[in-house]
Amino acid sequence: MIRVLSVTSECAPLVKTGGLADVAGALPGALAPLGVEMRTLLPGYPKVMAALKKPNTVLEDPDLFGGPARVVAAKVAGLDLLVLDAPHLYARDGAPYNRPDGQDWPDNPERFAALGWIAAQIAGGGLAGWHPEILHCHDWQAALAPYYLRAHHPDARVGTIMTIHNIAFQGLAPVAKLPSLRLSAADMTQEGFEFWGNISTLKAGLVSADRITTVSPTYADELLTPAFGMGLDGVLRARQGVLSGILNGVDLGVWAPPYRTPTGKRRYKARLRQTLDLPEADGPLCVVVSRLTYQKGLDLLLDALPRLLDQGGQLALLGSGEPELEQAFRRATAHANVAVTLGYDEALARLLIEGGDAILVPSRFEPCGLTQLYGLRYGTLPLVAYTGGLVDTVIDASPAGLRAGVATGLQFHPTTAEALSRAFDRLCGLYSHPDLWLRMQRNAMRHPVGWDQSAADYKALYDGLTGR
Ligand code: ADP
């Protein structure tokens, strides 16, 4: 058994804003059969605290970044949780990172520094009876843990891993916060965590961890370039030797289609149309389940949409995010073949994926992407931008892909409205050939999207770090 402490700010099914939660929630179960005992350290948001039955206090800290805190151990939904109960930091209503008005909490740096601090304490031997051999940290919210471990527990024999789920989120804080984040001014350097005059907690993790991973091989390559590295490409180039990409998988128990063959989709498509009040149509019913942000390229979808609608296609979108995008999509519903639901709704997300013909992911950058993987499994063909994990998971219906009989979806490049419009032409063309479409659906549904390979890759990484 290898003991691993996974540190994350969100974890499905308890608290989720995006793919990170799915991955953090699935990893322990995926790795258990390989002999990995993973415990997950998570902030005690109200929703998380409410889900705990028989919590057991395993660690106390009378002054954790401004108030008393404790760590409680509990099993929830098959997860072996260590929950950081720090009411002064986490007992707040709403989303994990934002005030009710949508703005970031001003003390987010401290809120997640505390998570890293406790993680380092546990990795440093602070928990009686359980000493992790690996500290696996996810995104900026956990990224101070490897730094604190080095700085405050230098003798700990623990391998550290920093996983980048999205480099757009860097955990920036003004330099005035050095003392309140318990950071040493001596490390406010280019080699340390300094980033254009600010503190970057993500950078602290990237320069401190033994290994760096990200969530697809293509994104690992892209991160080394100025176009995708978002200012951290130089840091990553310097650490290229310890950087690797491991694809995210899908929890096959959670994402299990209620049909075995593509024809089984019909009744779900009918139910979806009925639910959203969409008429019958000749073209493909395209679905989107996404955060509405610049990253996701949905402004390009708005521009290219007429090309889909003109060919008898339909769009059903579920998402929430930037107000301008929300408004623009609301306006798009003037067309009878467009249905838009603003908000977060897991049941509707599932129905969209069950009932859609194609799922659209026109992202400008996409570390891995999960919804195209759901699409594959459900025979809902992914139409994706050629970037990041979308490159690594979809086989394009190019002439070669079709002739070899291996295509599972469509990719377009560059990520522009014009290229997306042309992809809609191809999509509608394929859809009008039911035999071709069915073949692709079968390929898609057979494509392995589970955790097997990636769990083995993480296990190999852990083995390498523990010297096994
Ligand atoms: P990201 O993490 O960048 O948001 P991913 O594709 O990796 O993108 O993961 C997004 C996850 O969040 C998926 O599980 C998707 O189904 C889910 N999701 C996104 N928006 C919504 C929404 N409005 N309602 C329900 N689920 C959503």
Side-chain angles (χ1 to χ4, degrees):
M1 275 290 176
I2 297 187
R3 293 178 302 279
V4 180
L5 178 66
S6 168
V7 187
T8 179
S9 58
E10 46 185 281
C11 185
L14 292 165
V15 49
K16 165 166 166 176
T17 72
L20 167 60
D22 291 295
V23 174
L27 270 181
L31 285 160
L34 305 182
V36 175
E37 182 193 335
M38 182 175 274
R39 300 183 85 176
T40 305
L41 177 67
L42 182 72
Y45 313 110
K47 256 201 277 188
V48 174
M49 295 309 296
L52 304 182
K53 291 183 194 86
K54 294 199 213 147
N56 171 25
T57 300
V58 292
L59 192 73
E60 286 181 288
D61 187 333
D63 178 25
L64 182 70
F65 293 79
R70 60 181 185 142
V71 175
V72 297
K75 295 227 175 188
V76 182
L79 296 164
D80 196 347
L81 295 181
L82 294 167
V83 175
L84 178 53
D85 179 22
H88 63 295
L89 301 172
Y90 306 129
R92 304 175 190 183
D93 288 335
Y97 316 121
N98 311 121
R99 300 190 306 206
D101 66 3
Q103 297 295 309
D104 285 354
W105 290 106
D107 61 344
N108 272 351
E110 287 84 357
R111 296 174 74 218
F112 296 103
L115 182 71
W117 185 267
I118 288 293
Q121 210 163 308
I122 294 173
L127 207 62
W130 195 76
H131 296 164
E133 300 159 88
I134 299 284
L135 174 64
H136 188 164
C137 303
H138 301 277
D139 272 354
W140 73 266
Q141 295 92 335
L144 284 174
Y147 170 85
Y148 289 141
L149 184 70
R150 271 202 181 177
H152 299 282
H153 310 271
D155 298 331
R157 295 192 46 195
V158 176
T160 55
I161 299 172
M162 186 69 233
T163 295
I164 304 167
H165 293 263
N166 191 338
I167 205 151
F169 305 110
Q170 304 189 343
L172 299 183
V175 64
K177 283 199 186 250
L178 277 174
S180 72
L181 298 179
R182 304 183 183 173
L183 296 173
S184 161
D187 294 321
M188 187 66 193
T189 60
Q190 255 192 22
E191 295 70 39
F193 46 65
E194 188 268 345
F195 187 78
W196 298 99
N198 283 311
I199 298 162
S200 162
T201 58
L202 178 61
K203 190 179 170 199
L206 296 179
V207 299
S208 305
D210 297 318
R211 297 281 186 279
I212 302 170
T213 69
T214 188
V215 289
S216 70
T218 294
Y219 193 57
D221 290 341
E222 289 173 344
L223 284 176
L224 302 174
T225 66
F228 289 93
M230 301 204 170
L232 288 170
D233 45 296
V235 175
L236 289 168
R237 280 196 300 277
R239 303 220 62 204
Q240 194 170 355
V242 298
L243 168 69
S244 61
I246 300 179
L247 270 180
N248 286 337
V250 165
D251 190 329
L252 301 182
V254 175
W255 292 96
Y259 42 80
R260 286 180 159 239
T261 62
T263 44
K265 287 178 75 70
R266 278 190 206 134
R267 53 192 282 215
Y268 295 90
K269 184 170 177 180
R271 186 179 298 169
L272 178 58
R273 280 206 171 118
Q274 197 182 10
T275 306
L276 298 177
D277 212 9
L278 281 170
E280 296 282 324
D282 294 335
L285 171 50
C286 296
V287 300
V288 174
V289 179
S290 183
R291 292 185 291 118
L292 304 183
T293 64
Y294 176 81
Q295 173 195 344
K296 300 293 180 179
L298 295 165
D299 49 321
L300 308 175
L301 171 58
L302 283 164
D303 291 343
L305 190 55
R307 198 79 154 248
L308 173 68
L309 300 176
D310 288 350
Q311 299 179 71
Q314 296 181 306
L315 174 69
L317 174 138
L318 166 65
S320 65
E322 290 166 8
E324 307 77 54
L325 277 170
E326 292 196 350
Q327 275 160 26
F329 275 108
R330 207 177 284 135
R331 281 195 298 273
T333 58
H335 197 295
N337 280 324
V338 178
V340 168
T341 310
L342 299 175
Y344 188 90
D345 182 339
E346 294 201 359
L348 180 58
R350 198 173 284 268
L351 180 59
L352 284 164
I353 292 160
E354 288 164 347
D357 293 309
I359 187 159
L360 312 179
V361 193
S363 305
R364 289 189 165 87
F365 64 95
E366 193 56 79
C368 178
L370 288 175
T371 61
Q372 87 280 11
L373 298 178
Y374 307 151
L376 288 171
R377 183 145 166 79
Y378 283 71
T380 309
L381 299 185
L383 189 170
V384 303
Y386 188 81
T387 186
L390 304 173
V391 174
D392 297 330
T393 52
V394 175
I395 303 174
D396 181 54
S398 65
L402 287 173
R403 216 161 289 159
V406 295
T408 60
L410 289 89
Q411 293 170 324
F412 67 96
H413 180 80
T415 307
T416 60
E418 183 45 40
L420 177 55
S421 299
R422 286 195 300 272
F424 279 143
D425 297 346
R426 288 168 62 209
L427 183 80
C428 295
L430 287 165
Y431 187 74
S432 67
H433 290 92
D435 49 330
L436 276 181
W437 191 267
L438 187 65
R439 176 79 188 262
M440 286 177 65
Q441 285 183 306
R442 289 206 179 108
N443 292 343
M445 291 178 79
R446 271 200 300 265
H447 186 90
V449 295
W451 272 102
D452 289 358
Q453 180 60 49
S454 304
D457 291 346
Y458 278 115
K459 171 68 166 31
L461 195 69
Y462 298 159
D463 282 344
L465 277 174
T466 52
R468 292 185 196 202

